[in-house]
Amino acid sequence: MSNTHHNPVYPGPFADPFVLRWRDEYYAYGTGPMRDGRAFPILHSTDLAHWEPLANALDVDTEYRAGHFW
């Protein structure tokens, strides 16, 4: 894997990011589209340049799924 990267490092919508380092790996939490009834997407990286989506963090009750979360 190359050490070079191009911005943006993640091509999808991912606003208001927060990055957490845990055991030499990185997890980014952000706002963005809901997925499978869940809000707040989570990304994973080992080098801060290459990110993969994991899942969304928060189950949202069906009556609030049309809302916005941040």
Side-chain angles (χ1 to χ4, degrees), residues 34-40 56-62 65 69:
M34 289 189 52
R35 198 164 111 194
D36 299 325
R38 298 174 69 93
F40 305 111
N56 283 23
L58 178 70
D59 279 326
V60 177
D61 191 280
T62 54
R65 287 188 184 167
F69 301 90

Side-chain angles (χ1 to χ4, degrees), residues 3-66:
N3 286 335
T4 62
H5 69 276
H6 301 280
N7 285 324
V9 293
Y10 180 71
F14 200 81
D16 309 316
F18 169 79
V19 177
L20 174 72
R21 180 179 175 196
W22 188 68
R23 295 186 178 173
D24 294 326
E25 295 185 17
Y26 303 93
Y27 295 86
Y29 301 85
T31 58
M34 289 189 52
R35 198 164 111 194
D36 299 325
R38 298 174 69 93
F40 305 111
I42 304 169
L43 305 176
H44 173 258
S45 176
T46 57
D47 63 6
L48 295 174
H50 302 92
W51 292 90
E52 63 179 295
L54 294 181
N56 283 23
L58 178 70
D59 279 326
V60 177
D61 191 280
T62 54
E63 70 178 287
Y64 298 107
R65 287 188 184 167

